[in-house]
Amino acid sequence: MYQEVSERNVTAAGQEGLVAEHYDKVRAIFEVLNGKREADLLLKNLNILDVHSESVYQGSILVYDQRIIALNPNETEIKVRQVFDGQGLYAIPGLIDAHVHFDAQLAHPAAFAEAIVPCGTTTIFSECLDFVSAAGPEAIPATEQLFKNHERLPYRVYAFAPGKKTSVEVTDALLKMEPVIGLGELAHLTYSVGNDDDFRKSALGRAKGGFMNTHWGVTTLSEMMLNYMPAIGAFANHDVWKEDDIEKSVRYGLQTQIKFGVGSPEVIKIMLRAIVKRRWPAENFQLCADNISVDRLLTKGHMDWIVSLCAEMGIDPIKAIKMATLYTARAFRMDNKIGSLTPGRFADIVLTDSLSKINPRFVFKDGELVAQDRKMLKQSDLDYSGMAKKPVPGLVDLTPQQLDLTPLEISADGKQAKVYLFDVYGRGHEKFFQEVWVPYQDGKVVPEINGVRYNRITVVQRYAKDKRHVVNGLFKGVFVDRGAVATFWPAPKAYFVAVGQDSADMCYSLKQVDAYAGGCVVTENQRVKAVLPLEIYGVMANMNLTDLITATRSIDAALEELGNRNEGEPVVNKLLTLFISLDRFGFMA
């Protein structure tokens, strides 16, 4: 069922030219190793991690044409263009993120590089479903533009065509693109009821070569339906949240991806404790971010941080490194290209002063030094400004009265009202929303539960043909004493979220965001205090990393002035993740 993702998958018509190309390559390598041709790079004075034998040895690495071609070459017999002194540092394979939504981190691919590559990440396996969904009728040409010249990025990207949030036709078109290697996430709540679009997308994914990277739905599906995804060929699962989930995922034969970028910071520790406690073999697991802000990448780290946390939690450091290198490469049938420091593999190499606490001193991709001491040395020259879109406002007729909080139900004594309570930390689970009783006085809802005051939230449809769809409730996760914050996210449907205390303040904030293709705005007294525009199809900022970080932090700073106390991810990232659950639980028309 599976095919190796390699140059071998070509038509007969292309064989002749390909053979000639490979003839030149193999002859060139022979000549380099025999001193008749110059190698590109010799890294010497290294402590090299052999992930296959789980040992460390002193040695050197010879690089030619982006690949490792020799270990410990005889330096008296070779010619080399550049020599790099590894200073006795440990050399480990470039780190791999097994599953990330790199289109949902607000950064375009070049800005994203500035965040992940200095952390030692040289390869990502990426979903692109939010971007594709946001692009709507332009999905196919927009995705072609997104991945155009991807090989010029300072990291390796392999992508998945959307298994949800878009049409079968778009999924089919993307499966024919580079660097797409398979089918991404299917929607839990449709494939479990026999949705024909899911059957068709699954068939396309199988025909592409069998790589189907999916939510398994362990938190929502019946025991019987948990058989479905592995039965049709899904090979990987990142939908685990606790010990029982991991046990099922491993037992059902799925490559289980342990994620650290969403939910409570304790979730990742719960999962790692379970792996140590149950002594599950590390080869069952890969490590991934799923969703994570670039701000958090800069403050905590990326795969370097999670590998180090694994070691801290009791997993053998070398096995932890293998979970972010060799085991991931094997899962994707790419261990002949990446995942180890052995001849024939791409020269993606990280030099660190520790194996238990990864500290990427030098990062090489394709044998080129691209980052040093957590700073980029090679900036991508790719320009995405041509993908910025002009806004199409839709809230001209919105009134504050549409945002007023009205009861779902009033108690028999008329003293309490039932309303929705949404929780930013309940993302993805039923605790995301509840129906709660609150005081009801003088015909108005009092936004208070057990003496604790909450902000209000409003979920607003951007474009309405007839009556605009609006959902109002209380919100746990952001609290301002005054003013409001509003966000817009176009995937899978064009909706806004605003949080505040007053309908007029929230309405004003919403209309300010409506002037952008997407983004986040903080307002007070009919004045904009901070703004983050997402001009690239409403999901990515047309900024470099420094400007993006400045903008996201300005949102937090403005909200702090209004009384919010934020912890963890930036507020804008927290609010934008709401749209996933709002759609999942039916709060979008």
Side-chain angles (χ1 to χ4, degrees), residues 108-242:
H108 59 57
F112 195 50
E114 297 179 65
I116 65 170
V117 174
C119 297
T121 304
T122 56
T123 299
I124 64 171
F125 290 89
S126 174
E127 300 287 344
C128 57
L129 54 91
D130 284 294
F131 175 85
V132 175
S133 176
E138 299 178 18
I140 296 171
T143 308
E144 289 175 339
Q145 186 67 21
L146 180 71
F147 288 128
K148 184 179 180 181
N149 298 319
H150 67 87
E151 69 282 351
R152 286 163 48 190
L153 290 166
Y155 59 93
R156 212 172 302 284
V157 56
Y158 298 102
F160 292 91
K164 61 185 179 185
K165 296 187 179 182
T166 191
S167 69
V168 174
E169 290 71 26
V170 168
T171 295
D172 187 18
L174 265 63
L175 282 166
K176 297 178 174 69
M177 294 182 188
E178 294 292 339
V180 176
I181 63 169
L183 182 69
E185 299 176 355
L186 291 169
H188 303 41
L189 304 180
T190 57
Y191 71 62
S192 61
V193 295
N195 181 281
D196 190 62
D197 277 4
D198 290 335
F199 295 155
R200 294 168 66 195
K201 289 175 182 175
S202 298
L204 290 168
R206 287 164 64 101
K208 171 72 177 183
F211 284 111
M212 296 170 61
N213 190 28
T214 182
H215 274 296
W216 193 29
V218 70
T219 57
T220 56
L221 296 186
S222 68
E223 290 289 332
M224 194 63 183
M225 281 309 303
L226 287 178
N227 291 281
Y228 178 65
M229 290 310 297
I232 66 171
F235 81 106
N237 167 39
H238 64 280
D239 193 23
V240 291
W241 297 85
K242 55 187 178 180

Side-chain angles (χ1 to χ4, degrees), residues 394-411:
L395 299 185
V396 176
D397 61 344
L398 185 71
T399 65
Q401 291 72 30
Q402 290 174 274
L403 313 184
D404 288 343
L405 184 54
T406 57
L408 301 172
E409 183 181 341
I410 298 175
S411 63

